[in-house]
Amino acid sequence: MPDPKPPSNQLPLIATKRSLPIALLRAREKVMGPFREMLSASGISEQKWRVLRVVHEREPVAQARIAEEACLMLPSLTRILKAMEQDGLLTRATSEDDRRATLVRLTDKGHALIAQHSQRSAEIAEKLAEDFGRDRLEELLDLLEDLRRLP
């Protein structure tokens, strides 16, 4: 039996085809497919790849900054970093400037993993830019950043 109509003073649900959260998830799945395929060869998860990318760009980097830039909750990141440290991909150390902060650096093995996937990752990004259109992709990225900054 269909749900009853909402009261006239209540806004109706937006159709799933035009729902921003669902549209973002669909787009994410489309974009991530080739990256998942690339990463499966080395047995690294999307989350670990995001951590590697952030650390590679910013090392040494504070754990809290990684969580923010890799879109991970701090408790999840802590577990991921522990596993990555055990796998020899990175090291963690207390900051000498701020004893409350943990700084993360890649090991040679972590740098090698980035190098192993950097060409293919760049090719995937290039194909996406070509297929979608560079200008449209740049506009989309700007719009998503604007959306992220909403209060």
Side-chain angles (χ1 to χ4, degrees):
M1 175 185 288
D3 288 335
K5 279 186 123 177
S8 60
N9 65 343
Q10 185 177 347
L11 294 174
L13 282 174
I14 296 171
T16 56
K17 190 172 185 171
R18 299 301 293 171
S19 166
L20 181 59
I22 293 173
L24 289 170
L25 288 169
R26 286 182 183 131
R28 180 184 190 279
E29 290 308 306
K30 181 69 174 178
V31 169
M32 285 306 300
F35 288 101
R36 284 188 188 116
E37 194 175 299
M38 173 191 77
L39 295 172
S40 70
S42 59
I44 190 154
S45 69
E46 295 171 43
Q47 296 85 359
K48 287 180 180 179
W49 179 246
R50 292 195 316 257
V51 169
L52 283 169
R53 292 285 314 275
V54 170
V55 177
H56 179 257
E57 288 176 7
R58 306 211 179 274
E59 74 180 314
V61 60
Q63 195 166 312
R65 180 105 186 245
I66 298 169
E68 179 183 333
E69 293 193 21
C71 300
L72 293 165
M73 301 298 290
L74 203 48
S76 296
L77 176 64
T78 300
R79 286 190 300 277
I80 291 167
L81 290 176
K82 182 178 181 184
M84 292 176 77
E85 192 171 31
Q86 290 172 347
D87 291 342
L89 297 172
L90 53 80
T91 61
R92 295 183 291 171
T94 303
S95 169
E96 292 181 17
D97 297 333
D98 180 355
R99 305 297 290 165
R100 298 167 294 168
T102 299
L103 295 179
V104 180
R105 288 182 172 82
L106 294 183
T107 62
D108 289 344
K109 185 177 178 181
H111 284 288
L113 192 54
I114 288 283
Q116 175 186 340
H117 291 298
S118 62
Q119 181 62 40
R120 180 67 186 130
S121 182
E123 289 168 359
I124 293 167
E126 178 65 21
K127 177 152 178 34
L128 178 62
E130 286 175 9
D131 291 350
F132 191 70
R134 285 183 205 295
D135 291 342
R136 291 178 67 205
L137 182 58
E138 286 301 316
E139 181 181 5
L140 177 60
L141 290 168
D142 290 342
L143 290 169
L144 290 170
E145 185 62 22
D146 291 347
L147 184 61
R148 186 184 73 81
R149 292 182 181 178
L150 286 177

